[in-house]
């Protein structure tokens, strides 16, 4: 039995174990899917190659995610989602030893399997190591190298977009503009911009970082372009965090129009009101950054 055959058998066995755990008979599943019980039995035993349509149909009926399948897979290569979780966990814990180990592991995966995402996450580990070492020059160099892997894409997957979001703060606005003009359009939407809480959290970070990058250009046209993007973005009613930024953009526009006092007053009003809905640990960090941003607006023309 080849490695692929063994893996298909393992997946079939896992899906069949989920079926049994949910007390769903093979006959019931066969009726729902419009297949024969014999087909399901052969899939469970790994006696037949499962078609993609069959795989997705069984997953949907059993309410199993791809992550569930990968987590129970016998393949030595983990999914990008699993590696992302491990990298972020190590970074959050400031564990440079774990990050270095993950980097070497990912580089080995890339050399063996030639999967682009493995190379990208190896670079991401290097970026976090540079950040932990407070090596700004190295972090910037790695972040821009990582961004270059995506800049020519016309469409970003969910994983791609999350990675881009993590390096936005290091990228000059003009380069970001080339990418977001494509990927924020309906044609570039691969699903990550759907209005779900998880997707919105990623987009929140992207837009806020984009605003910082625009202010850093010193060009009012760039700042106004981003404030327009922020105010036009449709978000969930429960997303008080980004709704705060929509209102703050009004204050930014006031400053750009020569009414700095009014703009700063509006900022403080919004921050005070937001304290009712947004946790203090989140708001305090953003408030500090926003006050600094409003100060930097004096250099924008």
């Amino acid at each position: 039995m080849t490695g692929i055959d063994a893996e298909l058998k393992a997946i079939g066995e896992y899906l069949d174990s989920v079926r049994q755990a949910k007390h769903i008979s093979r006959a019931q599943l066969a009726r729902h899917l419009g297949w024969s019980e014999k087909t399901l039995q052969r899939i469970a035993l790994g006696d037949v190659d499962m078609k993609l349509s069959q795989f997705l149909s069984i997953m949907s009926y059993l309410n199993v995610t791809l992550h569930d399948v990968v987590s129970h897979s016998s393949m030595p290569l983990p999914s990008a989602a699993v590696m992302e979780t491990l990298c972020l966990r190590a970074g959050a814990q400031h564990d440079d030893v774990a990050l270095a180990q993950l980097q070497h592991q990912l580089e080995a995966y890339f050399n063996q399997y030639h999967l682009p995402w493995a190379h990208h996450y190896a670079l991401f580990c290097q970026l976090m190591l540079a950040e932990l070492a407070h090596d700004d020059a190295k972090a910037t160099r790695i972040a821009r190298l990582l961004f270059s892997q995506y800049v020519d894409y016309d469409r970003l997957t969910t994983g791609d977009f999350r990675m881009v979001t993590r390096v936005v703060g290091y990228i000059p606005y003009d380069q970001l503009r080339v990418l977001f003009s494509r990927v924020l359009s309906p044609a570039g939407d691969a699903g990550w911009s759907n209005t779900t809480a998880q997707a919105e959290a990623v987009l929140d970070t992207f837009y806020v970082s984009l605003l910082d990058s625009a202010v850093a250009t010193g060009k009012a046209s760039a700042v106004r372009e981003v404030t327009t993007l922020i105010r036009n973005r449709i978000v969930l009613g429960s997303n008080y965090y980004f709704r705060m930024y929509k209102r703050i953009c009004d204050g930014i526009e006031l400053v750009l129009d020569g009414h700095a006092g009014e703009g700063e007053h509006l900022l403080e009003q919004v921050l005070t009101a937001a304290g009712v809905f947004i946790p203090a640990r989140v708001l305090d960090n953003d408030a500090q950054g926003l006050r600094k941003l409003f100060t930097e607006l004096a250099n924008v023309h």
Side-chain angles (χ1 to χ4, degrees), residues 102-168:
L102 284 166
Q103 177 192 333
H104 294 315
Q105 184 179 2
L106 285 159
E107 288 171 346
Y109 286 151
F110 177 68
N111 291 333
Q112 182 174 357
Y113 297 101
H114 309 291
L115 295 170
W117 67 259
H119 174 57
H120 298 172
Y121 277 103
L123 287 174
F124 183 45
C125 287
Q126 290 184 50
L127 172 61
M128 288 191 287
L129 284 168
E131 290 174 339
L132 290 177
H134 303 290
D135 190 338
D136 294 339
K138 184 176 182 179
T140 299
R141 178 175 58 79
I142 296 170
R144 292 183 180 182
L145 176 59
L146 188 51
F147 180 77
S148 70
Q149 311 296 308
Y150 299 95
V151 71
D152 292 328
Y153 289 10
D154 291 325
R155 173 169 293 189
L156 299 181
T157 65
T158 303
D160 293 339
F161 189 74
R162 283 201 299 265
M163 183 62 77
V164 168
T165 296
R166 302 191 199 290
V167 301
V168 165

Side-chain angles (χ1 to χ4, degrees), residues 22 59 96 166 182 189 270-271:
K22 294 190 174 187
M59 283 178 57
D96 54 352
R166 302 191 199 290
R182 294 197 304 268
D189 178 8
V270 173
L271 290 174

